[in-house]
Amino acid sequence: MADSTADPWDLLVAPWHLDEHIPDFPVPAAATVVARPALPDGPVPARMSVLHRAATDAVARKTRPLVLSGDCSTARAVLAAQQQHHPDLAVLWFDAHGDFNTPAISTSGYLAGMALATLTGRTPDLFDDTLGLRPVPDTSIVLADARDLDPAEHDALTTSEVHRIPAEPAAVTSALERLGPVPVYLHLDIDVIDGAQVPGARFPAGPGPSLAQIEECLAAARATARLAAACLACAWLPEHAADATSRQAITRLTAALGASLTWP
């Protein structure tokens, strides 16, 4: 079922990167900000799990959530909440990176670089299991772009059954039609966009699809799939998160998904 008949988006904001609060994270008018709980002392994954629990609870109260977050790891929370309503949820993931590292193969240990692998169940000991997240089968995942991969991450994706495509509208349409009439969680990291068009990104990946091309990909997804939930990882450095160019990119990307943002 195409997205044009779906419910309106419920806008939420999760203003953190890993376990760090982003004070100047842009908050559109009418958005619900996920209340930040008190975090325990201890390892970062344990602190992130507390944040993810709060995000899961907030997302679960929304009919059709569109989440703005400071990292990709928050996808874990969004997906866990949505699986309560859509056990067959598929994933369409736009990212310049694969996010398919695990603690065993990561060269940096960067936790958000494991976000997609976590959704597939490849990082079972990284976080606690309080969210009730069920692994998504590789065959239900479409990864768009992923032009910047670590060598071991490349090998892991090659031996997986994750369906990789270029970030092109026709490829998005074809991949979603291949998945069939299942609800889809759409995830987009802003670094999938050509680095020259997203100044201040935490992990710029150089030349890539233009912002206009990614808008076309999102429009194709909206026209083809039943988008049950979405997350836009606004992975700018904290001092750039609320720049005019950053807000403009967020506004354009969410508009391509059918959401109309205004800013206070």
Side-chain angles (χ1 to χ4, degrees):
M1 179 178 68
D3 183 67
S4 59
T5 61
D7 294 323
W9 290 108
D10 298 311
L11 192 64
L12 295 98
V13 174
W16 56 69
H17 175 257
L18 304 183
D19 64 334
E20 298 175 2
H21 179 58
I22 304 174
D24 295 327
F25 194 93
V27 179
T32 298
V33 179
V34 178
R36 181 177 172 85
L39 300 183
D41 294 330
V44 172
R47 291 164 58 86
M48 290 171 66
S49 285
V50 176
L51 290 171
H52 293 168
R53 177 73 264 170
T56 297
D57 291 345
V59 171
R61 292 192 289 269
K62 303 298 183 180
T63 300
R64 189 167 179 251
L66 171 54
V67 180
L68 307 182
S69 177
D71 66 18
C72 288
S73 297
T74 303
R76 172 175 176 257
V78 181
L79 201 75
Q82 283 297 293
Q83 284 180 333
Q84 299 173 25
H85 310 289
H86 307 290
D88 56 345
L89 195 68
V91 174
L92 172 59
W93 191 279
F94 292 89
D95 205 311
H97 309 95
D99 289 357
F100 213 66
N101 277 306
T102 66
I105 66 173
S106 174
T107 58
S108 66
Y110 178 55
L111 296 175
M114 307 179 194
L116 184 56
T118 295
L119 300 189
T120 70
R122 285 176 167 81
T123 63
D125 300 319
L126 186 59
F127 298 106
D128 62 36
D129 60 358
T130 58
L131 302 187
L133 179 67
R134 297 186 300 278
V136 180
D138 289 3
T139 52
S140 294
I141 296 175
V142 176
L143 174 60
D145 192 59
R147 62 187 181 271
D148 187 1
L149 300 173
D150 295 332
E153 181 184 31
H154 176 274
D155 293 344
L157 277 167
T158 299
T159 57
S160 77
E161 294 186 88
V162 170
H163 184 43
R164 293 186 60 190
I165 62 170
E168 298 173 354
V172 170
T173 297
S174 177
L176 291 173
E177 289 176 342
R178 175 176 171 269
L179 286 175
V182 296
V184 173
Y185 163 64
L186 186 150
H187 182 94
L188 186 144
D189 188 331
I190 56 93
D191 65 26
V192 73
I193 301 164
D194 189 293
Q197 293 190 289
V198 282
R202 285 182 184 266
F203 300 102
S210 68
L211 174 55
Q213 184 172 337
I214 294 300
E215 288 177 285
E216 292 172 0
C217 288
L218 298 183
R222 183 182 173 208
T224 308
R226 176 187 170 196
L227 300 181
C231 181
L232 178 61
C234 304
W236 281 280
L237 292 165
E239 61 269 27
H240 291 277
D243 285 354
T245 54
S246 302
R247 290 189 180 205
Q248 182 184 46
I250 294 169
T251 301
R252 288 178 59 176
L253 292 167
T254 53
L257 289 172
S260 179
L261 300 193
T262 57
W263 299 95

